[in-house]
Amino acid sequence: MAWRFQIPFRVAQLRRRARRDIPGARTGSNTGDDVCAWIGACMLTRSSSLRDFYEAYFSSGKEARVIQVGANDGIMCDPLRRFLVHGTNQNIRAVLVEPIPYYYTKLRNLYADYPNITVLNVACGVSWGRAPIYFIEPSVADQMNGDGPPNDWAHGQGSFDRNVVKYWIERNRFRGEDYERNIDHYIESIISVDVEIIPLSDIEMSGQNDNLFLNIDVQGFELDVIRGIDWGHPPAYIVVEDYLNEASPIDKYLIARGYFYLCGRVDKVYVHASG
């Protein structure tokens, strides 16, 4: 989408020009068409992409503090991988959360030589507890690309609601005739494992909110994760998968706690207004 330079936008740009040369500067506006945020030397607007946000955040000049909830194996469709892989020689600290043991083991092995990255085998929710999480048996998930695209999507389907996993299996009928013929088998291959659940406030880094970035992808339970935040130390940035519009429960909950929606369509970027 082309950048739209409207009058309020230009006024905001002029007001913030002085901050461009300040390493790590963060400020923003959430008034009407004047939605923007400075991250380091980059100004992002409503028309900016998710990739623009990641680039700005990890190049801001400040220490990157990242909590990723729903990290899977750390490779498949992981937007943070290309930044974290250089984490041993950059100013990055990260906590990666993955509840399913099969993917947790892959994730732990992937970052075994990264002392600045902690991998946790738990889920995050409103409070402490245990619950079954549902996912597709990995050896079956290997067979579910069908006619493509070959993106191993089935390995990313984990949810506390079995029906969510079933929904996405059925939604992928476009993958060809062989896939359609095997849908019943794929649904029968949904298995579960009991996992520990902790609130985000239990993660030590969550209390260090200066430049803290929270990335959430948990197949329909994003709001439960958000409700477990230590609201005495709200993250500076939240990226959350939300298929609904700006009036979604997630949007309303975050706006009520001092955030504004900056950019992104499905994976949406929220910025805390205190910056």
Side-chain angles (χ1 to χ4, degrees), residues 2-80:
W3 281 42
R4 295 169 295 178
F5 291 99
Q6 302 175 5
I7 290 174
F9 177 89
R10 295 298 293 167
V11 172
Q13 189 178 40
L14 291 170
R15 286 203 308 262
R16 293 170 177 81
R17 182 171 292 169
R19 296 186 65 87
R20 285 185 126 169
D21 298 324
I22 303 175
R26 176 169 67 94
T27 188
S29 170
N30 62 342
T31 306
D33 293 325
D34 191 22
V35 174
C36 64
W38 281 101
I39 303 177
C42 300
M43 185 174 70
L44 304 185
T45 70
R46 182 59 56 82
S47 60
S48 298
S49 68
L50 185 62
R51 183 185 181 94
D52 292 335
F53 167 75
Y54 289 135
E55 294 285 355
Y57 177 78
F58 285 101
S59 64
S60 70
K62 298 185 72 173
E63 181 183 57
R65 296 173 178 169
V66 180
I67 299 176
Q68 184 183 22
V69 181
N72 200 263
D73 65 359
I75 295 178
M76 189 201 67
C77 300
D78 191 327
L80 305 185

Side-chain angles (χ1 to χ4, degrees), residues 7 13 42 48 51 59 82 86 88-89 103 108 120 122 145 151 184-185 205 210 227-229 241 256-257 267 269:
I7 290 174
Q13 189 178 40
C42 300
S48 298
R51 183 185 181 94
S59 64
R82 64 194 184 93
H86 301 297
T88 54
N89 54 23
Y103 298 108
R108 182 192 61 196
L120 301 180
V122 296
N145 282 332
N151 55 4
D184 288 343
H185 170 58
M205 189 186 292
D210 180 39
R227 289 173 62 197
I229 288 173
E241 187 178 52
R257 284 155 181 79
D267 293 300
V269 180

Side-chain angles (χ1 to χ4, degrees), residues 69 123-128 131 159-161 197-201 214 216-231 240-241 249-250 253-254 257:
V69 181
C124 289
V126 179
S127 58
W128 301 273
S159 176
F160 287 110
D161 185 346
I197 303 170
I198 65 170
L200 273 169
S201 57
L214 173 60
I216 307 171
D217 182 359
V218 292
Q219 296 292 310
F221 286 80
E222 287 80 7
L223 187 54
D224 282 0
V225 175
I226 290 169
R227 289 173 62 197
I229 288 173
D230 175 1
W231 289 110
V240 57
E241 187 178 52
I250 291 174
Y253 190 91
L254 289 176
R257 284 155 181 79

